[in-house]
């Protein structure tokens, strides 16, 4: 089997996934004495905590301990950045679902039953439950941020045409298959090993240590695999792990805390919903001259990771388009809802939709084809600097755009759809296109670093450890392919091991699509260090030059005058051990070139850009508002893919998840601020029948990254999610067809049947 980088290799856990043999935290054998936890949550959204009576819960059958704010031995704060986010509420209630206490019992049923017996009294206050109210009250979790270039006010005054519009997009539940879970096992001298379903083991280590008031070295966070994360286990997993660690420390016994789906959804953050207002100025051809936009995010009750989300939304408001005069102001609105957090795309999806809405309206105003207007405004040579000052290098926009139009037979299908619409008064079809430019790197430069640890054993087998977490996305197999490529051995000789803060310290989260970029290079550095040692020893031992030594096909060839000697990789490893050569090495990588001034909002926040394009065809029923995605054609820039099979799965999955965000995944709170969409019966994620029946995915060929990415590959985790914006555009096109395009279309997302129907009615009313 070929294991070369760039070949399709199955996920390292694929067979275990489909046979049920893959072990997740809840599958781990429980040591004798294991306790189980259940949370006590607030049922009110805002107010003063007057009474928390846990006596009845504490005396319930099989209950060992009940822990609240006063039982936290260290600092009762789980904020990932900043401060002021208590693990257990002290005197204030800030959202319905806020943890108040933890019940620990001999069984899960006993813990959950006892948690129901807690007596809670809250003096209610008027909550802030939407962005508009927060803006009116100037309730923010941070000061507004502004990204600007040129003089948008003057440019708007001078523009031949101006349009002002508003719309909104909702949040999104991560709905990972494995819920939030942690298993804390106490050891000697206050040491605790925490098995956590987290994307950020180092943050788990830090939060647990903060809560316990101990050094980081007493906490070991371990992650073998996650059952999905999508950003929801970047910061939220830390407080779940922290609660388990506090209970294990308090009782001296292992403690498992897993949140049932309803509690998980009630207590944890979502994708940030956004409200938008913008004014755009343009010329007679549809060329954008200026944009003045407000992006207001629902941060929820606390800071969490909102600063980064808002910053990334602002830096993606331009999307694929040159805008000479630009201003975007981001508001992080404080509401009495779950503290919203990272979600795949991390603000990028909420940023790119602004210009897509604007360009659709510009095209309608001028009577032009919206896709021609899009192409007219693409970044191009001489117009290639973003509003924050970064050059748009290796611009593949035109290629992606051309290939998706050709592959999707744009002109033919446009004619077919127009003919269908002319003959069908009730059903309408729509076609939407979307181009993408997406920046890859963490917003904070210091997070763009990674470490790895590689051991070569004397039988030629290799153990690989790095700071990235495997959550189903195929990171482990990709990094293993990198190591196999260095040593030229079969992939079966590489054994990836659980991510652990005891093996690779001070890790960055597996997020921002950087998992392969960062950890791949770190593993390459470690493996190459060992390889160079082995080559140096072999050259000395056999009396040849290092360039006479070749690693290939699991063997090592020693080229000597008149004869060649071939050793297996394992034989050379044993020979090096006998020669006292170290066969273990760490590797470290930091992303070059990036820098960022968060106050001036200027710099190079991204190492490179990923590009893509999508075309989607939809159908709507104008009597019910129901919609279907009939076909999707995608072209995604992956550079030189490390593993095309894995990347293909990432593209398909990301698109469908983005489709869910924009069409069916609606979060709903009642008038008291209590989330009511708390499970699959009330919250609709895309199912198998929502996947487009015709689904064509293509990776852009012959497009290796010219930047020093690992084997010239590009990130693929997040960018394809935004390609689903083509579905939203197509829905607006179908709604427009219901009025013969006599009125512009406002379509808030998610575009549920109710919203589609309301948009049809509003467009028809405006057309009359």
């Amino acid at each position: 089997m070929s294991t070369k980088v760039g070949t399709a290799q199955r996920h390292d856990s694929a067979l275990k996934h489909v046979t049920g043999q893959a072990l997740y935290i809840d599958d781990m054998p429980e040591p004798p004495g294991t306790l189980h936890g259940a949370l006590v949550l607030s049922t009110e959204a805002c107010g003063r905590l007057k009474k928390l009576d846990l006596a009845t819960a504490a005396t319930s059958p099989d209950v060992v301990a009940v822990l609240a704010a006063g039982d936290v031995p260290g600092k009762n704060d789980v904020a990932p950045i900043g401060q002021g986010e208590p693990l257990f509420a002290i005197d204030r209630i800030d959202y319905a679902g806020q943890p108040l206490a933890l019940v620990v019992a001999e069984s899960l049923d006993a813990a959950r039953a006892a948690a129901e017996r807690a007596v809670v009294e809250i003096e209610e206050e008027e909550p802030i439950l939407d962005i508009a109210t927060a803006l009116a009250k100037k309730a923010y979790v941070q000061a507004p941020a502004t990204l600007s270039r040129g003089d948008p006010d003057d440019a708007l005054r001078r523009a031949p045409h101006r349009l002002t519009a508003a719309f909104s997009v909702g949040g999104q539940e991560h709905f990972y298959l494995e819920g939030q879970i942690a298993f804390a096992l106490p050891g000697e001298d206050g040491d605790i090993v925490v098995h956590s379903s987290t994307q950020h083991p180092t943050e788990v280590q830090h939060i647990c240590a903060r809560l316990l008031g101990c050094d980081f070295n007493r906490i070991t966070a371990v992650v073998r695999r996650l059952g999905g994360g999508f950003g929801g286990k970047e910061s939220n997993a830390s407080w779940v792990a922290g609660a388990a660690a506090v209970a294990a420390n308090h009782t001296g016994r292992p403690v498992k805390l897993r949140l049932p789906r309803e509690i998980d959804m009630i207590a944890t953050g979502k994708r940030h919903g956004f409200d938008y207002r913008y004014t755009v100025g343009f010329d007679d051809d549809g060329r954008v001259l200026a944009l003045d936009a407000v992006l207001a995010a629902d941060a929820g009750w606390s800071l969490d990771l909102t600063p980064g989300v808002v910053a990334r939304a602002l830096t993606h408001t331009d999307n694929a388009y040159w805008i000479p005069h630009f201003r975007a102001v981001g508001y992080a609105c404080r509401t009495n809802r779950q503290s919203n957090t990272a979600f795949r795309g991390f603000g990028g999806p909420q940023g790119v939709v602004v210009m897509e809405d604007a360009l659709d309206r510009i095209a309608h105003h001028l009577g032009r084809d919206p896709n021609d207007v899009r192409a007219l405004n693409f970044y191009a040579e001489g117009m290639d600097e973003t509003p924050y000052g970064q050059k748009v290098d290796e611009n593949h926009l035109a290629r992606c755009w051309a290939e998706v139009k050709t592959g999707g037979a744009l002109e033919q299908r446009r004619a077919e759809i127009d003919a269908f619409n002319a003959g069908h008064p009730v059903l309408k079809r729509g076609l939407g296109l979307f181009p993408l430019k997406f920046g890859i790197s963490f917003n904070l430069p210091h997070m763009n670093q990674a470490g790895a640890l590689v051991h070569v054993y004397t039988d030629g087998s290799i153990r690989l450890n790095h700071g990235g977490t495997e959550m189903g996305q195929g990171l482990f197999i990709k990094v293993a392919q990198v190591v196999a490529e260095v040593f030229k051995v079969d992939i079966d000789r590489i054994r990836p091991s659980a991510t652990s803060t005891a093996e690779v310290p001070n890790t960055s989260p597996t997020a921002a699509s950087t998992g392969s970029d960062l950890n791949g290079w770190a593993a390459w550095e470690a493996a190459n260090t060992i390889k160079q040692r082995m080559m140096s020893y072999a050259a000395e031992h056999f009396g040849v030059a290092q360039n006479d030594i070749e690693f290939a096909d699991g063997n090592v060839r020693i080229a000597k005058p008149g004869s060649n000697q071939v050793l297996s990789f394992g034989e050379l490893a044993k020979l090096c051990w006998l020669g006292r050569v170290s066969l273990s090495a760490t590797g470290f990588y930091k992303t070059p070139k990036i820098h960022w001034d968060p106050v001036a909002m200027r710099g190079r926040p991204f190492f490179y850009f990923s590009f893509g394009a999508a075309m989607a065809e939809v159908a709507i029923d104008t009597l019910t508002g129901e919609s279907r995605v009939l076909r999707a054609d995608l072209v995604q820039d992956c550079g030189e893919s490390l593993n095309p099979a894995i990347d293909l799965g990432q593209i398909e999955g990301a698109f469908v998840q983005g489709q869910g965000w924009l069409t069916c995944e609606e979060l709903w709170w009642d008038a008291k601020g209590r989330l009511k969409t708390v499970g699959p019966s009330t919250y609709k994620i895309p199912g198998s029948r929502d996947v487009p029946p015709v689904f064509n995915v293509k990776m852009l060929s012959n497009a290796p990254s010219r930047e020093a990415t690992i084997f010239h590959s590009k990130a693929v985790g997040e960018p394809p999610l935004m390609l689903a914006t083509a579905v939203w555009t197509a829905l607006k096109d179908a709604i427009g067809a219901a009025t013969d395009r006599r009125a512009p279309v406002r379509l808030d997302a998610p575009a549920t049947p109710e919203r589609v129907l309301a948009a049809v009615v509003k467009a028809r009313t405006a057309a009359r």
Side-chain angles (χ1 to χ4, degrees):
M1 178 193 299
S2 172
T3 56
K4 182 181 178 184
V5 162
T7 61
Q9 302 294 322
R10 72 185 181 202
H11 193 291
D12 58 289
S13 297
L15 294 179
K16 291 189 283 290
H17 284 157
V18 299
T19 59
Q21 296 178 67
L23 294 179
Y24 295 88
I25 292 174
D26 213 14
D27 301 317
M28 294 173 56
E30 296 176 2
T34 293
L35 301 174
H36 303 268
L39 293 170
V40 177
L41 303 180
S42 164
T43 57
E44 309 301 330
C46 184
R48 186 169 66 88
L49 181 58
K50 293 183 62 179
K51 182 179 181 180
L52 178 60
D53 186 347
L54 301 171
T56 303
T59 56
S60 296
D62 292 330
V63 170
V64 175
V66 179
L67 308 172
D71 300 299
V72 176
K75 187 177 182 181
N76 180 29
D77 195 336
V78 294
I81 57 175
Q83 57 185 355
E85 299 180 31
L87 171 62
F88 300 126
I90 303 170
D91 54 4
R92 294 286 312 166
I93 298 301
D94 291 291
Y95 75 100
Q98 185 168 0
L100 307 179
L102 175 69
V103 177
V104 184
E106 299 287 352
S107 70
L108 180 60
D109 287 345
R112 290 178 177 174
E116 295 289 332
R117 298 188 178 101
V119 178
V120 181
E121 291 184 14
I122 298 169
E123 185 179 296
E124 292 185 60
E125 298 173 4
E126 187 69 25
I128 299 174
L129 298 177
D130 55 64
I131 293 171
T133 303
L135 287 171
K137 293 186 175 183
K138 297 185 177 180
Y140 310 130
V141 299
Q142 67 168 15
T146 301
L147 175 60
S148 64
R149 171 172 61 194
D151 189 342
D153 294 326
D154 182 66
L156 287 169
R157 280 193 298 268
R158 295 173 180 271
H161 306 275
R162 285 187 305 277
L163 289 173
T164 297
F167 69 100
S168 65
V169 299
Q172 185 179 20
E173 166 63 34
H174 302 86
F175 221 95
Y176 23 68
L177 289 179
E178 178 197 32
Q180 299 279 2
I181 183 169
F183 195 6
L185 295 92
E188 295 182 352
D189 302 323
D191 289 357
I192 296 182
V193 174
V194 183
H195 295 272
S196 172
S197 184
T198 178
Q199 297 171 237
H200 199 347
T202 289
E203 186 178 282
V204 165
Q205 179 191 43
H206 291 182
I207 294 296
C208 290
R210 185 192 303 167
L211 291 167
L212 296 177
C214 68
D215 291 340
F216 295 162
N217 62 9
R218 291 189 180 273
I219 308 296
T220 299
V222 180
V223 189
R224 173 55 186 94
R225 60 172 60 85
L226 290 70
F230 311 117
K233 296 177 180 177
E234 185 174 342
S235 62
N236 276 276
S238 300
W239 68 259
V240 176
V246 168
N249 179 75
H250 183 88
T251 62
R253 293 167 63 178
V255 174
K256 182 188 288 186
L257 173 61
R258 71 276 229 193
L259 307 189
R261 182 68 62 183
E262 180 177 352
I263 299 299
D264 194 322
M265 293 184 72
I266 289 172
T268 63
K270 324 296 178 194
R271 183 189 294 281
H272 294 67
F274 272 65
D275 285 356
Y276 307 91
R277 299 193 307 271
Y278 66 84
T279 300
V280 62
F282 51 98
D283 65 18
D284 293 336
D285 295 322
R287 186 174 285 103
V288 174
L289 305 174
L291 177 73
D292 185 11
V294 168
L295 293 76
D298 183 349
W301 74 276
S302 67
L303 195 64
D304 199 89
L305 300 177
T306 294
V309 170
V310 171
R312 189 169 282 257
L314 294 178
T315 56
H316 285 79
T317 303
D318 62 321
N319 188 24
Y321 311 107
W322 163 254
I323 307 170
H325 299 277
F326 178 98
R327 179 168 57 233
V329 183
Y331 291 90
C333 298
R334 184 191 298 274
T335 63
N336 292 110
R337 288 178 172 176
Q338 293 82 351
S339 188
N340 288 320
T341 190
F343 200 123
R344 196 176 195 171
F346 201 76
Q350 296 99 312
V352 299
V353 294
V354 176
M355 281 301 296
E356 301 312 308
D357 190 76
L359 291 167
D360 281 338
R361 288 179 176 273
I362 290 170
H364 180 270
H365 181 83
L366 297 175
R368 296 199 62 198
D369 185 321
N371 298 314
D372 291 343
V373 175
R374 282 182 168 83
L376 178 69
N377 285 284
F378 282 172
Y379 276 105
E381 196 69 33
M383 297 183 294
D384 59 355
E385 187 174 289
T386 65
Y388 45 90
Q390 179 169 345
K391 291 285 186 181
V392 181
D393 295 325
E394 297 184 63
N395 189 343
H396 296 314
L397 276 170
R399 278 192 62 195
C400 293
W401 189 249
E403 291 191 18
V404 84
K405 290 198 299 180
T406 300
L410 172 61
E411 293 183 5
Q412 175 188 333
R413 289 171 60 205
R414 180 77 268 176
E416 291 172 351
I417 289 168
D418 290 344
F420 176 91
N421 289 338
H424 292 78
V426 174
L427 298 179
K428 298 294 180 183
R429 290 186 177 180
L431 192 66
L433 275 76
F434 172 74
L436 174 68
K437 170 185 65 65
F438 186 76
I440 303 296
S441 285
F442 285 103
N443 295 72
L444 299 175
H446 71 264
M447 293 178 69
N448 295 281
Q449 58 176 299
L453 176 63
V454 173
H455 302 320
V456 173
Y457 296 101
T458 55
D459 64 349
S461 63
I462 300 165
R463 180 180 172 90
L464 166 64
N465 192 274
H466 54 79
T469 57
E470 175 59 59
M471 45 192 156
Q473 84 280 38
L475 175 63
F476 275 21
I477 188 64
K478 282 186 166 184
V479 179
Q481 283 179 268
V482 169
V483 174
E485 181 76 18
V486 172
F487 291 121
K488 303 296 184 183
V489 298
D490 192 88
I491 197 75
D492 292 337
R493 301 296 279 164
I494 316 291
R495 186 168 185 82
S497 56
T499 309
S500 170
T501 56
E503 294 198 51
V504 175
N506 310 320
T507 59
S508 294
T510 304
S513 302
T514 62
S516 297
D517 285 3
L518 295 178
N519 297 289
W521 264 127
W524 186 93
E525 291 286 350
N528 193 57
T529 296
I530 298 171
K531 181 180 180 181
Q532 294 305 315
R533 291 174 189 163
M534 295 174 76
M535 291 177 68
S536 178
Y537 180 76
E540 179 184 351
H541 182 83
F542 292 105
V544 298
Q546 284 200 31
N547 58 12
D548 292 325
I549 300 170
E550 179 186 16
F551 285 63
D553 300 322
N555 294 311
V556 182
R557 176 175 170 269
I558 313 296
K560 302 179 71 172
S563 66
N564 292 326
Q565 185 168 352
V566 178
L567 292 77
S568 70
F569 178 76
E571 287 172 332
L572 179 58
K574 187 170 184 179
L575 189 65
C576 288
W577 174 73
L578 292 170
R580 297 185 294 179
V581 174
S582 171
L583 296 176
S584 175
T586 59
F588 179 78
Y589 173 75
K590 60 179 181 179
T591 308
K593 298 185 179 181
I594 55 175
H595 57 91
W596 180 244
D597 183 336
V599 177
M601 298 288 283
R602 300 281 296 177
R604 177 175 177 160
F606 308 119
F607 186 30
Y608 61 87
F609 293 104
S610 174
F611 299 90
M615 182 188 304
E617 181 178 347
V618 303
I620 66 169
D621 185 327
T622 60
L623 297 182
T624 65
E626 291 178 282
S627 67
R628 293 288 184 273
V629 181
L630 305 177
R631 175 173 169 173
D633 295 85
L634 315 181
V635 176
Q636 180 62 51
D637 169 25
C638 299
E640 290 288 345
S641 170
L642 292 174
N643 186 324
I646 294 293
D647 286 353
L648 180 65
Q650 284 289 287
I651 296 168
E652 292 173 342
F655 179 88
V656 173
Q657 190 170 50
Q659 178 186 323
W661 169 54
L662 291 166
T663 61
C664 63
E665 296 189 44
E666 183 175 30
L667 296 162
W668 192 84
W669 289 261
D670 68 14
K672 289 279 193 176
R674 292 175 292 225
L675 184 68
K676 293 300 183 179
T677 46
V678 294
S681 63
T682 51
Y683 184 80
K684 173 67 173 69
I685 64 171
S688 59
R689 288 178 294 179
D690 296 303
V691 176
V694 181
F695 199 7
N696 301 316
V697 178
K698 177 183 179 182
M699 284 179 272
L700 192 68
S701 61
N702 300 316
S705 173
R706 293 200 301 268
E707 293 293 354
T709 59
I710 186 69
F711 289 104
H712 306 288
S713 63
K714 282 190 176 183
V716 71
E718 294 172 305
L721 183 140
M722 277 148 280
L723 297 183
T725 308
V727 173
W728 182 59
T729 303
L731 288 169
K732 290 192 289 180
D733 183 61
I735 294 166
T739 68
D740 294 326
R741 314 200 188 287
R742 295 194 305 272
V745 174
R746 170 173 172 164
L747 180 61
D748 294 341
T752 58
E754 295 87 347
R755 287 198 177 95
V756 171
L757 184 59
V760 169
V761 171
K762 186 174 181 179
R764 283 175 168 166
T765 302
R768 287 195 295 268

